[in-house]
Amino acid sequence: MSFFPDVPKIPYEGSESTNPLAYRHYNPDERVEGRSMREHLRFAVCYWHTFRGMGGDPFGPGCAVRPWEDGTDSLDSALRRVDVAFEFMEKLGVPYYCFHDRDVATEGKNLTETNKNLDAVVKKLKESQARTGIKLLWGTANLFSNARFVHGASTSCNADVFAYSAAQVKKALEVTKELGGENYVFWGGREGYVTLWNTDLKRELDHLAKFLHMAVDYKKKIGFTGPFLIEPKPHEPTSHQYDFDCANSLAFLRGYGLDKEFKFNVETNHATLARHTMGHELTYASINGMLGSVDANRGDLLLGWDTDQFPTDLYLTAQTMLVILGQGGLGAGGLNFDAKVRRESFEPVDLFHAHVGAMDAFAQGLKIAAAIRKDGLLTDIVSKRYGSWDSGVGAEIEAGKHDFSSLETYMLKKGDADKNVSGRQEMIENIINRYIR
Ligand code: XLS
Ligand code: NI
Ligand code: NI
């Protein structure tokens, strides 16, 4: 039985194609900088938006047409969704997927029953992976939807909720390992606060760190070898989320002795919610050796929330791929489309249009980034801009040969600093435009 009878396997047809359900740039075996596009991009479909999203918003319930849904949250429908998901991913030709425990299986009336439901679906996921070759990029636990997490999970004022969360993440880790998941993600969810008047900030941060230390201990105990990834987000649903952005999260991890055990999963829309560009967040993570994976989406700059749109902007994808190529790839990480079709795009085929366009935008971004790197123009401009540090007093400062007194002597003798040169921003932007095609 087919759930998408009208959609064939998406072919690669080249840049001249006008077929909306064909790749114009994503040619998995095509080599760029000595590696296939498949290896560079490591695309993942996210289970929660693509197979659980119905298009609801604060003003109305979901109205997506999903003929395979029977309106229940039964185990039967969870198992049917696995078939939907794998048909979709096979047709797309995507190598990975990501999930939260509660996306794939429904909660039971207690933790024992909930774990049993999860095991039943995991069995089917495992079989489907073996049959199709599609793999799990990362797993995670939903510690935010159920009412018990109203005050947070590991940062809840209710110690029992901390305990429940520990049990849930323990299970999610086991399941991720069972499915050969290549990473495990921690997104803060409700780990933050809405008002400081009722919040013991220090105690909550201590608890968050304690929880992450326990997760690291358990990871080692069961021999899960994939990276642990923190996914920063500044707010939503809380007013202030503890993993605010990469810089803030790195300070937290270092402060609690956790920085060697974690990297980041950087999400575009979270970067912009923190009033950073994605380029900033990626670069900050990368220069600190912390860039592990990417939640590839985009926000709507006119709206102030996590709209999770599919990425189609070539400046964004090119800049993202520049940082990724610059650090020699994402290792075990990948590009996860943490993105949802608009409420107005309610037909099943829209799920294909969304992914095909986003994959193509990244494939094109990869080619653009590789062309920029090959010419070396941009790196030349930047290294020339810092040329004063390559010799003379600059090189001496970098080598630790100066202090305030010696620099005063130097400048008193010289009288004034050398003249500055232009930053040439407009010229550089024009150069970048030459590559965007
Ligand atoms: C929410 C997050 C979430 C994580 C996984 O804003 O992006 O979807 O990626 O928990
Ligand atoms: Ni995300
Ligand atoms: Ni998000």
Side-chain angles (χ1 to χ4, degrees):
M1 166 175 190
S2 169
F3 298 97
F4 305 96
D6 304 329
V7 183
K9 185 160 169 49
I10 308 295
Y12 166 71
E13 291 184 358
S15 60
E16 300 306 313
S17 172
T18 55
N19 174 3
L21 288 178
Y23 296 116
R24 297 168 55 245
H25 296 279
Y26 183 58
N27 183 11
D29 294 318
E30 186 175 324
R31 295 185 90 73
V32 178
E33 293 196 7
R35 264 198 268 174
S36 72
M37 282 195 174
R38 189 186 290 104
E39 291 168 290
H40 275 294
L41 297 165
R42 297 169 60 83
F43 289 128
V45 168
C46 87
Y47 214 95
W48 52 102
H49 287 312
T50 298
F51 307 116
R52 302 310 311 273
M54 294 298 285
D57 69 14
F59 306 95
C63 56
V65 176
R66 302 287 183 258
W68 53 86
E69 291 290 335
D70 60 8
T72 73
D73 209 8
S74 65
L75 187 55
D76 271 355
S77 52
L79 293 170
R80 186 165 55 246
R81 259 180 232 121
V82 174
D83 290 328
V84 175
F86 278 81
E87 181 186 339
F88 179 78
M89 296 189 290
E90 271 201 290
K91 286 189 164 167
L92 214 51
V94 87
Y96 288 102
Y97 71 107
C98 301
F99 68 76
H100 300 86
D101 46 5
R102 303 298 175 252
D103 305 333
V104 293
T106 172
E107 286 206 31
K109 59 179 186 307
N110 54 40
L111 187 58
T112 308
E113 198 176 277
T114 301
N115 286 346
K116 229 176 96 204
N117 290 346
L118 185 56
D119 286 335
V121 183
V122 165
K123 184 167 174 274
K124 180 149 186 188
L125 288 168
K126 200 173 177 184
E127 288 161 9
S128 309
Q129 288 185 197
R131 176 173 52 79
T132 60
I134 293 168
K135 295 184 279 185
L136 181 64
L137 184 66
W138 49 262
T140 189
N142 179 329
L143 303 173
F144 43 90
S145 294
N146 190 286
R148 79 176 65 83
F149 302 116
V150 63
H151 299 303
S154 69
T155 65
S156 175
C157 47
N158 179 348
D160 256 7
V161 175
F162 183 106
Y164 191 100
S165 307
Q168 190 177 332
V169 170
K170 174 179 179 290
K171 178 73 180 171
L173 273 167
E174 291 163 4
V175 155
T176 300
K177 179 170 185 265
E178 165 79 8
L179 291 173
E182 298 188 18
N183 308 261
Y184 186 87
V185 164
F186 295 81
W187 167 58
R190 294 183 195 275
E191 309 290 38
Y193 61 84
V194 176
T195 173
L196 208 43
W197 294 117
N198 69 10
T199 302
D200 187 335
L201 189 59
K202 165 90 169 70
R203 216 166 176 182
E204 292 204 1
L205 288 170
D206 287 350
H207 292 169
L208 176 58
K210 195 174 276 299
F211 190 86
L212 295 176
H213 272 294
M214 287 183 188
V216 170
D217 291 345
Y218 194 65
K219 168 188 175 172
K220 292 182 179 157
K221 188 168 173 197
I222 63 172
F224 177 73
T225 52
F228 268 5
L229 305 171
I230 298 265
E231 183 179 319
K233 183 176 183 179
H235 41 250
E236 195 207 77
T238 63
S239 313
H240 182 103
Q241 195 162 313
Y242 293 135
D243 308 320
F244 192 94
D245 61 5
C246 289
N248 174 297
S249 302
L250 182 56
F252 167 83
L253 291 171
R254 282 184 180 150
Y256 285 96
L258 285 159
D259 51 304
K260 301 283 176 287
E261 308 291 348
F262 286 83
K263 287 186 174 186
F264 294 130
N265 180 39
V266 180
E267 175 165 324
T268 319
N269 207 161
H270 299 180
T272 53
L273 283 177
R275 294 184 170 269
H276 297 307
T277 61
M278 181 60 164
H280 170 89
E281 284 294 83
L282 289 167
T283 305
Y284 192 89
S286 183
I287 60 173
N288 285 290
M290 297 290 284
L291 177 55
S293 201
V294 170
D295 265 10
N297 62 11
R298 77 170 202 268
D300 181 335
L301 295 181
L302 302 180
L303 298 175
W305 66 87
D306 200 9
T307 60
D308 286 341
Q309 286 167 241
F310 279 85
T312 51
D313 179 346
L314 298 180
Y315 291 91
L316 170 67
T317 60
Q319 194 175 34
T320 300
M321 292 317 299
L322 261 180
V323 181
I324 293 173
L325 290 177
Q327 69 165 33
L330 286 172
L335 301 175
N336 168 46
F337 293 119
D338 188 355
K340 56 185 179 229
V341 288
R342 298 303 86 195
R343 190 170 192 263
E344 296 81 353
S345 308
F346 50 78
E347 295 176 5
V349 70
D350 292 308
L351 295 171
F352 280 96
H353 289 301
H355 284 86
V356 167
M359 288 163 72
D360 247 358
F362 265 98
Q364 206 173 344
L366 168 65
K367 290 193 272 185
I368 292 166
I372 292 174
R373 279 162 58 84
K374 184 158 179 258
D375 288 356
L377 258 176
L378 203 59
T379 31
D380 286 353
I381 290 171
V382 176
S383 51
K384 217 169 137 206
R385 183 158 183 253
Y386 291 85
S388 71
W389 292 91
D390 294 337
S391 59
V393 73
E396 289 162 20
I397 295 171
E398 281 192 350
K401 291 187 184 144
H402 276 288
D403 57 20
F404 271 13
S405 308
S406 67
L407 289 175
E408 183 194 46
T409 309
Y410 164 77
M411 207 29 84
L412 283 171
K413 190 167 164 226
K414 190 160 180 177
D416 199 353
D418 283 348
K419 281 206 171 46
N420 281 309
V421 292
S422 166
R424 296 263 187 273
Q425 181 174 335
E426 295 75 8
M427 181 194 81
I428 296 168
E429 286 170 345
N430 297 346
I431 291 175
I432 296 294
N433 271 354
R434 301 210 297 253
Y435 293 93
I436 302 287
R437 62 190 146 85

